[in-house]
Amino acid sequence: MKTVTGGSCAVLLALILMMDGHALNAAASCESLSSLALPKTSITLAQMVPAGGFSLPGTGPAAVQQFSQLPAFCRVAATLTPSSDSDIKIEVWLPTAAWNGKFQAVGNGGWAGTISYGALASALQEGYATASTDTGHVGGNASFAIGHPEKVRDFAYRAVHEMAVKSKAVIAAFYDRAPRFSYWTGCSTGGRQGLMTAQRYPEDFDGIVAGAPANNQTQLCAWRIAVEARILQEPASVVPVSKLALVNKAVLAACDPLDGVT
């Protein structure tokens, strides 16, 4: 490895900043990505989104304040079918200016079943090209798994891997270069996804943030069943919403000022 020192180092740093901190000339237009050919992949959307112009599917413009503050980006949606029973939806968001040269994939919560739009927005605002997946099904419960072992595999690990591979290909096509670094970040189910990726596909990401990983599925699911069984046996033991609100107010009143800020 060659070491760069002195004035050469300053020149190199300036080049990096110029590449990653300013507007980039894309190798392909956003719309042209709709014809990008990738194995077992169908690109269903490739469109420019102007600054502040994104709204959650099914909602009106600027329905969420977080999205009204987004920079302009190229939004790519695709369906991945690594097996005959796979139906993995992904979205890749590509900043059109000030790309930091890196890729950040974001995780899910619970049983997944939806694109993590809020996490995509956060990554985009930090200058990352970013991606999310619904892990191959729609809806936040496990009904998709019954009789569908391939969908279980997609949820367990395959969807994240397929998303990582296909997202990097989309990034390379749009910017004419691969990301310098690729990262994974997620909590709960996202943490489990990160640990699974580290085990099975260590080359997918250069760094993994696996927060609060829900990785012991046997214990977690047994706990949920135990709680729900008790609730079904004794419906009167369920704490009503009105009482939960009282508890919430009491906790805030007792604890919120402790850090000196109310």
Side-chain angles (χ1 to χ4, degrees):
M1 179 181 291
K2 183 177 180 180
T3 302
V4 181
T5 59
S8 297
C9 185
V11 172
L12 179 61
L13 178 59
L15 287 172
I16 292 173
L17 290 174
M18 183 170 61
M19 291 171 64
D20 294 338
H22 297 82
L24 296 166
N25 293 321
S29 70
C30 182
E31 290 74 15
S32 71
L33 293 175
S34 62
S35 60
L36 183 65
L38 298 173
K40 298 183 178 180
T41 300
S42 173
I43 295 180
T44 57
L45 175 74
Q47 66 176 198
M48 282 296 304
V49 179
F54 178 78
S55 58
L56 283 171
T59 66
V64 180
Q65 181 68 20
Q66 181 183 20
F67 301 129
S68 67
Q69 300 173 355
L70 291 179
F73 66 98
C74 173
R75 180 187 177 196
V76 178
T79 300
L80 314 182
T81 53
S83 79
S84 60
D85 196 28
S86 294
D87 185 29
I88 301 167
K89 301 295 193 298
I90 70 168
E91 288 204 20
V92 187
W93 290 11
L94 307 153
T96 56
W99 178 42
N100 64 15
K102 294 175 280 189
F103 168 48
Q104 181 185 149
V106 299
N108 303 91
W111 291 105
T114 185
I115 299 292
S116 300
Y117 287 107
L120 284 175
S122 296
L124 185 73
Q125 287 172 319
E126 295 295 328
Y128 289 92
T130 182
S132 172
T133 175
D134 66 357
T135 73
H137 66 277
V138 177
N141 59 63
S143 60
F144 72 91
I146 301 173
H148 295 279
E150 293 298 333
K151 291 186 183 297
V152 174
R153 291 185 180 91
D154 289 336
F155 170 74
Y157 59 87
R158 188 163 56 192
V160 169
H161 170 63
E162 290 290 327
M163 176 191 70
V165 172
K166 302 305 167 33
S167 295
K168 290 178 186 178
V170 171
I171 292 169
F174 187 63
Y175 296 115
D176 199 26
R177 62 186 177 99
R180 292 188 296 115
F181 296 104
S182 296
Y183 302 115
W184 170 267
T185 179
C187 287
S188 192
T189 289
R192 177 193 63 78
Q193 291 168 323
L195 294 181
M196 187 67 83
T197 296
Q199 283 184 273
R200 289 179 174 267
Y201 306 103
E203 299 302 317
D204 280 357
F205 299 104
D206 299 292
I208 291 174
V209 178
N215 59 316
N216 192 327
Q217 290 290 297
T218 301
Q219 288 187 358
L220 282 173
C221 291
W223 169 77
R224 289 192 184 100
I225 291 171
V227 171
E228 291 170 6
R230 179 60 61 88
I231 290 172
L232 292 172
Q233 290 168 356
E234 302 176 20
S237 66
V238 178
V239 180
V241 174
S242 59
K243 289 187 177 181
L244 287 175
L246 290 174
V247 173
N248 181 56
K249 290 179 180 178
V251 170
L252 290 176
C255 303
D256 185 40
L258 295 180
D259 61 356
V261 179
T262 300

